[in-house]
Amino acid sequence: MTRLRADRPLVGATPRFAFMVEPLGKHHNRAAFTSGSEFLDRYLQHQAGQEARRHIAVTFVLVNPETQAIAGDYTLSATSISPNALPPEIAAGP
């Protein structure tokens, strides 16, 4: 009998991931997610979908495939801001 070991994946097996990355969609429950930052939560809940529809930015969410709960998010945009245009306290970073 062949014994399976957790440290060796099965050849040809489909890997299972704890989370999946998906483009933000209407079916994602944005209101249930909190990042700890009111500013970022407000963006995800109110602006991310609008900016995607206007082709300004695309937001992706990290989703638990079993519960469909959002665990995180990131946004990509083709827009850039020159550091010289920012207030010094923001341009300097954390």
Side-chain angles (χ1 to χ4, degrees), residues 26-92:
K26 291 182 179 184
H27 63 283
H28 292 115
N29 185 358
R30 291 174 259 182
F33 174 73
T34 58
S35 66
S37 166
E38 186 179 329
F39 174 80
L40 295 176
D41 293 345
R42 191 171 38 244
Y43 175 82
L44 182 66
Q45 293 169 4
H46 301 289
Q47 286 182 257
Q50 294 174 22
E51 292 188 358
R53 286 188 295 279
R54 292 186 291 175
H55 304 286
I56 295 171
V58 179
T59 298
F60 293 87
V61 289
L62 185 67
V63 177
N64 179 324
E66 294 177 7
T67 64
Q68 293 301 304
I70 297 174
D73 67 282
Y74 66 94
T75 301
L76 299 176
S77 175
T79 304
S80 64
I81 300 172
S82 170
N84 296 334
L86 298 172
E89 62 274 8
I90 293 175

